[in-house]
Every structure is written in structure tokens, then in C-alpha cells.
Amino acid sequence: MMTILDDDCGQGSSEYILLFGAIIVVAILALVIYRSYFQKSSLNSAQDMEKVRSNTKGSGDSPSAPPVNNTTPPSLP
């Protein structure tokens, strides 16, 4: 006769639930701890893209020109 103590049927599922629960708790704790860093940062992708574009405009010829490869190919023996 099988008793409750010998029944392992749902043990794997409950271990996965505990594991995922622990991961969620750690993620929430990390968000709470680093919340000040997320609030201070100004995440504005449009402004960042404009900065990148303006910094690369004056670095060469026209912006549509491909980069020039000034390296010499290796000599063959």
C-alpha cells in the first residue's frame, strides 16, 4: 500500500515552481536595489541616435561614401 510519504509524483513540478519563484524574488530585489540608477538615466534613443550621427558627420568625406581600406594586402610567398 502506498502512503503519502512514499508518493514522489509531483516533486519535480514543485521544485521547478520553487526555483522560478526564487529567480523572480532575486530579480525583484535587484530592481529595487538598482531603481535609483534606472530613474536617473535618461534613456532617449532618438537623442542618442542624433548624437551619434552628428559625431560621425565631420569625420570624413560624404556620409554615404564607404570607408577606405588603407591597408596593404599581405605578400604571397
Side-chain angles (χ1 to χ4, degrees), residues 38 40-52:
F38 292 125
K40 289 179 186 176
S41 67
S42 60
L43 299 174
N44 187 354
S45 61
Q47 186 180 17
D48 291 341
M49 292 282 289
E50 190 59 39
K51 282 182 185 178
V52 169

